[in-house]
Amino acid sequence: MAKSDGRKFAIGVDYGTNSVRALVVDVADGAEIATHVYDYPGGEAGVLLDSKDPNLARQNPADYIEGFYKSVRRTVAAAKRKRGFQPDNVIGIGVDTTGSTPIPVDRDGTPLALLPKFKKRLAAQAWLWKDHTGHAEAAEITAKAKSDADRYLANCGGTYSSEWYWSKILHCKREDPKTFATAYSWVELADFIPAYITGNTNPHTMKRGICAAGHKAMYGAAWGGLPKPDFLAAIDPELAAVREHYSSEVVPANQVAGHLTATIAKKVGLPAGVTVAVGAFDAHMGAVGAGIRPGTLVKIIGTSTCDMMVAPMDRELPEIPGLCGVVPGSIIPGMYGLEAGQSAVGDIFNWFTRYLTPAKYGSKGDAHANLTRDAEKLEPGESGLLALDWNNGNRTILVDPLLTGLLIGQTLHTQAPEIYRALVEATAFGALTIINRFEEYGVKVEEVVNCGGIAEKNPFVMQIYADVCNRPMKISRSAQTCALGAAIFGAVVGGAYSSVQAAQERMTGVKKQAFHPHAGRAAVYAELYKLYRELHDAFGLPGQRDSLNRVMKELISIRNRVRKG
Amino acid sequence: MAKSDGRKFAIGVDYGTNSVRALVVDVADGAEIATHVYDYPGGEAGVLLDSKDPNLARQNPADYIEGFYKSVRRTVAAAKRKRGFQPDNVIGIGVDTTGSTPIPVDRDGTPLALLPKFKKRLAAQAWLWKDHTGHAEAAEITAKAKSDADRYLANCGGTYSSEWYWSKILHCKREDPKTFATAYSWVELADFIPAYITGNTNPHTMKRGICAAGHKAMYGAAWGGLPKPDFLAAIDPELAAVREHYSSEVVPANQVAGHLTATIAKKVGLPAGVTVAVGAFDAHMGAVGAGIRPGTLVKIIGTSTCDMMVAPMDRELPEIPGLCGVVPGSIIPGMYGLEAGQSAVGDIFNWFTRYLTPAKYGSKGDAHANLTRDAEKLEPGESGLLALDWNNGNRTILVDPLLTGLLIGQTLHTQAPEIYRALVEATAFGALTIINRFEEYGVKVEEVVNCGGIAEKNPFVMQIYADVCNRPMKISRSAQTCALGAAIFGAVVGGAYSSVQAAQERMTGVKKQAFHPHAGRAAVYAELYKLYRELHDAFGLPGQRDSLNRVMKELISIRNRVRKG
């Protein structure tokens, strides 16, 4: 047996859209000892789809449980081959997941989908974050909340999303009343995993995290927890019951959810009783793994972005219009957690390479590399193009999923690399708009730390971000910030640190090499950004009857009508 | 020798951008007996370019002369193999050309480019219609004309173009003063060919056509011919001399330019003395060949469009803003000739297939066919896309070459055939905008006759035009309307008819099969057109400091600055 040298370890388990990753880290410095990724076997790349409804995206809860076993067991096994690691020295486990991903459960907290009678029912599965079947219900909830004296939406941008908890539950009642009637409670995936592995899935006594509850279920101290019964009943009388079958305690992720059961510990090769932290969302723990602190914006850049900040609670925050959410303790306990984001970033680049790139640039990864090679040679403004980054709507600051893309400036000579660069620039302008929004409301952005696939692998994009935002773009030291963040919470509940901040101080950091803005390019981008904002406001702000915003919306309404035939 | 049966023939000679076509027709019914196309040998596809200046496009006058010999001789030879044709029975020749394509000539009317000393000078060649080197000069002339009491630009949309006569001459003075100083006069290609083949190239006595003079040289009865000497002198003192060395007679194309010289007749296999008509521009004679008459809009649809109408002169026309030109007698003698057009149509589709179409659709012609196959399956509005057809600026009704393309509505699912269809629809909306503009000013469009490559070969495009414009789209019977139109003028000057209209009655027509609008699709397009007009006006009309028109213009000004380094 290898000598432990007194080292202690924590495990982070990160549930993504298509797979789950486990990561063992050294709590002393965050050094990453071993990792393993398990792909969910169900549906398409782990997602259950419905060919009749493109809005539907569900997931089999059995894949989550199997995913915990496989990913943790293999990671522990790999770690054991490294010098200095012993399973006995694992002091804590943290869990982060996608969200809002609510799961209908029975009175014992068992997912309905695990019961033979409900196994095949789509409504009985986990409702994956990107399931938009509840869009009509979201509009209904938004309307009700807007006319309510309790300003439920004040801290989530003023619009309740189809991706969130209550929209999904209400839609379930309409899509599949039997499943709805059988569900005793609805549990977020971020809460389910810690509950399951610690053996306390009772919907009333399990620990639910403030991150999921606060950002997605309208949980707020101002109205004493979940929305008031009369508000929920006014939307649907049966929604009030969902409220009754909820945990009495909602806490931040530095709290203990419980301890690993002997059965599960055995399955994954760990000692029984390891302390497990309360769960939270991937982006929130990812922000912790990237070293978030007051003044630091953490951008997690992949197919879309999450843009996270924290702010001390010693002074009250103003309402910041367009943010996805402001929740006390959702990122770092004792601080406001602020979440913003862009609906599509990498997805826009992928769209362009998949559907609009001629043969000479190759396909997929080659297309990105070849377009980048030519796009990199261009100077800002040289193409004469300008785009809006709205192919998947606009999350922050417009909170409008029904906005669409725009490209202007094309001539008969415009070529693919020019458009590719314009699309990258558009996402950078979108990023700057978010930074500006934070600062307009007094949340100063003193540094930007980037993580996620694009930050890791795409210097072309990151340099444009530095030039457009006219700020250095730092890159997180870890390439697995979400799993690292989860492990940090494991380290905290395991007793290695007295606070999340103290753990971050030792376990996180940025790479030496940052992307610095080039003064000349930044100056041209400042001009272009003014023009971007004019298009942004003209098309993005709902205005008068003759506004251009209405032009975009009418196109969609005509499209929907025609598609329905 | 074959028996002539008393049949008479006319020849049309059509000078295009890359080649010249000769066509022998039977004057009784317009039947096309023989044709031959000669490609200009010079430069790239007949055009002399300058790698340092994308605006430059010149043409070697020697190619025109050789082109006359080759195309007519081969056409006559081919016709002789047909029953009933005899060269002796050719009664007239008409000539149409691109324009404004002015050629600097010496005191004898010999193109300077034919003189050994000037052979290699680009400024001494013909300045092809699409040469835009004179854009600064065009702006200068526009500004001067706007402040002049004589409203020189009232009938040409209010803006003098870089493509036109005086812009090019003035630019020559600045680009190559020696050539300018040597040039005694400047002769439009449309006037040069009839002059050359009839042996009267004297700049003062040759017959110049009203079509070129009226549309491009600001020739107008209201101010007694070319612009007044003091106006020209105010722009540049030496321009006034160009005015002095001009023909005393400017006439419509039903007038006789002269008779074929014995030398040239021999070269082409025709008898000496055949009557030659005064020349005109291709689109104008093409409109005649397509059967233009009051109430008939003739659309010549190729890389760009010309949209031609005629109106009786018994009542005064109002000024129609945005038209390229209104000139008495420029199309049919005794009627107003009205010219409008779109700066790019086929060029936009070619741009998309060349630069933005993925491999699966093939390349060039295949790409058009494959994109069409998929685009045809879509219903109006189904893609949610809307485009502006401004990749090459907007000729009518905005008269602004510095506008650029726009596409909105794209999502992460938008594919190439959807965009291709949106671009076709955009050009159809542009076409409807021109029709509406005619009608807004009292020129009723009772039928639309289409000709040119796209009208001939692209039922997908023509059906969309019918649905968008909600009118039948008729197709000209002849596929060679320009050459046929020229032959009609040959027939008239040869004495076969007393008027152009009488000749048209017998010699032109439309195909039996027209494209008829589909009511349901037309209704959706009516909705989409309203949205198109909102974008058109928002981006197209120069407005206040914060208008979207300014956004497009600033992008270009930034682009130009960056490109200059």
Side-chain angles (χ1 to χ4, degrees):
Chain A
M1 191 179 276
K3 202 157 157 286
S4 84
D5 310 328
R7 288 166 72 190
K8 302 284 184 194
F9 302 91
I11 296 179
V13 188
D14 166 39
Y15 282 85
T17 299
N18 312 109
S19 60
V20 50
R21 171 188 296 277
L23 175 73
V24 171
V25 304
D26 188 321
V27 300
D29 56 4
E32 299 174 7
I33 308 300
T35 189
H36 181 80
V37 175
Y38 173 78
D39 293 325
Y40 306 134
E44 280 193 42
V47 183
L48 308 175
L49 303 173
D50 179 352
S51 62
K52 281 177 254 126
D53 185 356
N55 288 315
L56 189 145
R58 308 276 158 86
Q59 217 148 32
N60 183 353
D63 289 356
Y64 299 142
I65 294 169
E66 187 64 20
F68 184 84
Y69 296 150
K70 289 268 170 61
S71 67
V72 176
R73 182 165 71 233
R74 289 176 187 169
T75 301
V76 168
K80 282 167 76 177
R81 291 192 291 272
K82 300 287 175 69
R83 190 178 177 84
F85 175 83
Q86 285 181 21
D88 283 351
N89 294 331
V90 171
I91 59 170
I93 296 175
V95 176
D96 71 88
T97 75
T98 67
S100 172
T101 303
I103 307 171
V105 300
D106 66 12
R107 192 176 290 261
D108 302 325
T110 302
L112 299 189
L114 303 186
L115 309 176
K117 246 170 75 182
F118 286 89
K119 205 175 162 182
K120 302 244 155 155
R121 291 181 99 94
L122 280 170
Q125 314 296 319
W127 293 51
L128 188 59
W129 67 276
K130 64 179 177 177
D131 186 295
H132 287 99
T133 51
H135 54 83
E137 289 78 8
E140 229 176 296
I141 295 169
T142 299
K144 275 277 184 308
K146 279 193 172 159
S147 61
D148 199 281
D150 286 307
R151 306 186 52 250
Y152 292 115
L153 302 180
N155 284 324
C156 65
T159 304
Y160 198 75
S161 166
S162 61
E163 293 186 3
W164 297 351
Y165 195 73
W166 295 107
S167 302
K168 285 169 167 166
I169 296 172
L170 182 56
H171 186 71
C172 177
K173 194 195 159 201
R174 292 166 184 174
E175 176 184 316
D176 184 346
K178 189 177 162 192
T179 296
F180 178 81
T182 310
Y184 180 80
S185 183
W186 289 73
V187 180
E188 282 280 357
L189 173 57
D191 298 327
F192 174 75
I193 299 296
Y196 185 83
I197 63 176
T198 61
N200 175 19
T201 57
N202 180 309
H204 294 281
T205 61
M206 64 183 288
K207 297 270 179 65
R208 307 216 195 201
I210 185 62
C211 178
H215 281 288
K216 309 302 179 191
M218 294 195 275
Y219 189 99
W223 42 87
L226 290 181
K228 293 177 183 165
D230 55 344
F231 171 76
L232 292 173
I235 296 169
D236 189 294
E238 297 184 54
L239 274 194
V242 177
R243 185 185 191 277
E244 298 311 310
H245 305 160
Y246 203 75
S247 304
S248 50
E249 266 195 288
V250 174
V251 291
N254 66 342
Q255 300 296 303
V256 174
H259 298 86
L260 202 61
T261 67
T263 320
I264 291 173
K266 198 174 165 200
K267 276 185 188 266
V268 298
L270 288 174
V274 175
T275 310
V276 177
V278 165
F281 288 147
D282 40 14
H284 295 66
M285 287 197 168
V288 169
I292 197 167
R293 71 182 72 124
T296 298
L297 168 67
V298 172
K299 290 180 67 63
I300 306 181
I301 313 177
T303 54
S304 61
T305 75
C306 286
D307 294 48
M308 320 293 288
M309 293 198 77
V310 292
M313 288 173 68
D314 52 10
R315 67 179 184 89
E316 212 165 318
L317 268 190
E319 271 177 39
I320 308 182
L323 250 58
C324 310
V326 176
V327 173
S330 69
I331 300 174
I332 292 182
M335 292 191 188
Y336 289 113
L338 286 68
E339 185 189 349
Q342 291 173 266
S343 314
V345 172
D347 270 348
I348 295 181
F349 315 151
N350 289 336
W351 163 72
F352 188 74
T353 57
R354 187 172 305 154
Y355 295 135
L356 291 167
T357 299
K360 64 183 273 203
Y361 298 100
S363 62
K364 292 188 182 165
D366 283 350
H368 283 294
N370 291 328
L371 287 169
T372 294
R373 185 199 55 216
D374 288 359
E376 229 164 7
K377 293 175 192 152
L378 297 166
E379 286 297 320
E382 186 177 353
S383 70
L385 297 174
L386 187 60
L388 290 175
D389 49 326
W390 297 352
N391 286 44
N392 196 27
N394 177 294
R395 197 176 291 153
T396 308
I397 58 173
L398 297 168
V399 201
D400 189 342
L402 291 185
L403 293 171
T404 55
L406 181 150
L407 178 70
I408 70 169
Q410 51 273 43
T411 69
L412 295 172
H413 307 288
T414 300
Q415 297 206 29
E418 296 175 294
I419 298 178
Y420 188 73
R421 186 176 177 113
L423 295 172
V424 170
E425 290 168 346
T427 66
F429 293 139
L432 177 56
T433 304
I434 292 175
I435 291 175
N436 290 344
R437 175 53 49 102
F438 279 123
E439 297 210 317
E440 284 153 17
Y441 287 83
V443 182
K444 185 103 187 75
V445 176
E446 280 152 14
E447 71 168 357
V448 183
V449 176
N450 299 273
C451 54
I454 286 179
E456 282 292 315
K457 293 174 205 157
N458 203 320
F460 164 65
V461 171
M462 294 318 300
Q463 184 59 51
I464 287 179
Y465 277 49
D467 291 336
V468 164
C469 299
N470 201 15
R471 298 162 184 263
M473 290 288 141
K474 301 180 183 176
I475 309 295
S476 164
R477 190 173 66 200
S478 169
Q480 313 300 342
T481 46
C482 295
L484 173 61
I488 285 172
F489 284 95
V492 169
V493 296
Y497 295 100
S498 61
S499 71
V500 170
Q501 293 96 314
Q504 283 181 298
E505 193 65 41
R506 305 289 293 273
M507 294 173 74
T508 70
V510 296
K511 291 184 177 170
K512 276 190 187 152
Q513 199 68 42
F515 294 87
H516 292 278
H518 175 285
R521 290 189 206 115
V524 178
Y525 278 136
E527 290 180 79
L528 290 171
Y529 181 67
K530 276 189 207 153
L531 302 178
Y532 171 89
R533 274 312 293 258
E534 290 187 44
L535 293 178
H536 176 283
D537 293 353
F539 284 91
L541 300 178
Q544 306 81 321
R545 237 178 58 79
D546 64 344
S547 80
L548 291 169
N549 178 262
R550 196 187 47 73
V551 170
M552 260 188 190
K553 297 307 175 69
E554 282 210 12
L555 278 174
I556 292 174
S557 100
I558 293 171
R559 181 189 75 191
N560 291 346
R561 205 184 66 216
V562 170
R563 286 190 180 179
K564 276 182 199 143
Chain B
M1 191 178 274
K3 203 161 157 281
S4 83
D5 309 327
R7 289 165 70 192
K8 303 283 183 192
F9 303 91
I11 296 179
V13 188
D14 166 40
Y15 282 85
T17 301
N18 313 110
S19 60
V20 51
R21 170 187 297 277
L23 175 73
V24 171
V25 304
D26 189 320
V27 300
D29 56 5
E32 298 175 5
I33 309 300
T35 188
H36 181 80
V37 175
Y38 172 79
D39 294 325
Y40 307 133
E44 281 194 39
V47 183
L48 308 174
L49 303 173
D50 179 352
S51 62
K52 281 177 253 124
D53 185 356
N55 288 316
L56 189 146
R58 309 276 158 87
Q59 217 148 34
N60 183 353
D63 289 356
Y64 299 140
I65 295 168
E66 186 63 19
F68 184 84
Y69 298 149
K70 289 270 171 59
S71 65
V72 177
R73 182 166 69 233
R74 289 175 186 169
T75 301
V76 168
K80 282 166 74 176
R81 293 192 290 271
K82 300 285 173 70
R83 192 179 176 82
F85 175 84
Q86 286 180 18
D88 282 350
N89 294 331
V90 171
I91 60 169
I93 296 175
V95 176
D96 71 88
T97 74
T98 66
S100 172
T101 303
I103 307 170
V105 299
D106 66 11
R107 192 175 290 259
D108 301 325
T110 301
L112 298 189
L114 303 186
L115 309 175
K117 246 171 76 183
F118 287 90
K119 206 176 161 182
K120 302 243 155 156
R121 291 180 101 96
L122 281 170
Q125 313 297 319
W127 292 52
L128 189 59
W129 66 277
K130 64 179 176 177
D131 186 296
H132 287 99
T133 50
H135 54 83
E137 288 78 9
E140 230 176 297
I141 295 168
T142 299
K144 274 278 183 308
K146 279 193 172 157
S147 62
D148 199 280
D150 286 304
R151 305 187 51 249
Y152 292 116
L153 302 180
N155 284 323
C156 64
T159 305
Y160 197 76
S161 165
S162 59
E163 293 186 2
W164 297 350
Y165 194 73
W166 295 109
S167 301
K168 285 169 167 166
I169 296 172
L170 182 56
H171 186 71
C172 176
K173 194 196 159 200
R174 291 165 185 174
E175 177 185 315
D176 184 347
K178 189 178 165 193
T179 295
F180 177 82
T182 309
Y184 179 80
S185 184
W186 289 74
V187 180
E188 283 280 355
L189 173 57
D191 298 327
F192 174 74
I193 299 295
Y196 186 82
I197 64 177
T198 60
N200 175 20
T201 56
N202 179 311
H204 294 280
T205 61
M206 62 183 289
K207 297 269 178 67
R208 307 214 194 202
I210 185 62
C211 178
H215 282 288
K216 310 302 179 191
M218 293 195 276
Y219 189 99
W223 43 86
L226 290 181
K228 293 178 183 163
D230 56 344
F231 170 76
L232 293 173
I235 296 167
D236 190 294
E238 296 184 53
L239 275 193
V242 176
R243 184 185 191 277
E244 299 310 311
H245 306 160
Y246 203 74
S247 304
S248 50
E249 264 195 289
V250 174
V251 291
N254 65 343
Q255 300 296 304
V256 174
H259 298 86
L260 201 60
T261 67
T263 320
I264 292 172
K266 198 174 164 197
K267 276 185 189 265
V268 297
L270 287 173
V274 175
T275 309
V276 177
V278 166
F281 289 147
D282 39 15
H284 295 67
M285 287 198 168
V288 169
I292 197 166
R293 72 184 70 122
T296 298
L297 169 67
V298 171
K299 290 180 66 66
I300 307 180
I301 314 177
T303 53
S304 61
T305 75
C306 285
D307 294 48
M308 321 293 287
M309 293 198 77
V310 291
M313 287 173 68
D314 51 11
R315 67 180 184 89
E316 212 165 320
L317 269 188
E319 270 177 40
I320 309 182
L323 251 57
C324 310
V326 177
V327 173
S330 69
I331 300 174
I332 292 183
M335 292 191 189
Y336 289 113
L338 286 68
E339 184 188 350
Q342 291 173 266
S343 316
V345 172
D347 269 349
I348 294 180
F349 315 152
N350 290 335
W351 163 72
F352 188 74
T353 57
R354 187 172 305 155
Y355 295 134
L356 291 167
T357 299
K360 65 183 274 205
Y361 299 100
S363 62
K364 292 187 183 164
D366 283 350
H368 283 293
N370 292 328
L371 288 169
T372 294
R373 185 198 57 216
D374 288 359
E376 228 163 8
K377 294 176 192 152
L378 298 166
E379 286 297 320
E382 186 177 352
S383 69
L385 297 174
L386 187 60
L388 290 175
D389 50 325
W390 298 352
N391 286 44
N392 197 27
N394 177 294
R395 198 177 293 153
T396 306
I397 59 174
L398 296 168
V399 201
D400 188 344
L402 291 185
L403 294 171
T404 56
L406 180 149
L407 178 70
I408 69 168
Q410 50 272 43
T411 68
L412 295 172
H413 307 288
T414 300
Q415 298 206 28
E418 297 175 294
I419 297 177
Y420 188 72
R421 185 176 177 111
L423 295 173
V424 170
E425 290 168 346
T427 65
F429 293 140
L432 177 56
T433 305
I434 292 175
I435 291 175
N436 289 345
R437 175 52 49 103
F438 278 124
E439 298 210 318
E440 284 153 17
Y441 288 83
V443 182
K444 184 103 185 77
V445 177
E446 281 151 13
E447 70 167 358
V448 183
V449 176
N450 298 274
C451 53
I454 286 180
E456 282 293 315
K457 292 174 204 159
N458 204 319
F460 164 66
V461 171
M462 293 318 300
Q463 185 59 52
I464 287 179
Y465 277 49
D467 292 336
V468 164
C469 299
N470 201 16
R471 297 163 184 262
M473 289 288 141
K474 301 180 183 176
I475 309 295
S476 164
R477 191 173 66 200
S478 169
Q480 312 300 341
T481 46
C482 296
L484 173 61
I488 285 172
F489 284 94
V492 170
V493 295
Y497 296 101
S498 62
S499 70
V500 171
Q501 293 96 314
Q504 283 181 297
E505 195 65 42
R506 304 291 294 274
M507 296 174 72
T508 70
V510 297
K511 292 185 178 171
K512 276 193 188 150
Q513 201 68 44
F515 295 87
H516 292 278
H518 174 285
R521 291 189 207 114
V524 178
Y525 278 135
E527 292 181 79
L528 290 172
Y529 182 66
K530 277 189 204 151
L531 302 178
Y532 171 89
R533 274 312 293 257
E534 290 189 44
L535 293 178
H536 175 282
D537 293 353
F539 284 92
L541 299 177
Q544 307 82 320
R545 237 179 57 79
D546 62 346
S547 81
L548 291 168
N549 178 262
R550 196 186 48 73
V551 170
M552 261 189 189
K553 298 309 178 66
E554 282 210 12
L555 278 173
I556 292 174
S557 101
I558 293 171
R559 180 189 76 190
N560 291 347
R561 205 184 65 216
V562 170
R563 286 191 181 178
K564 275 185 200 142

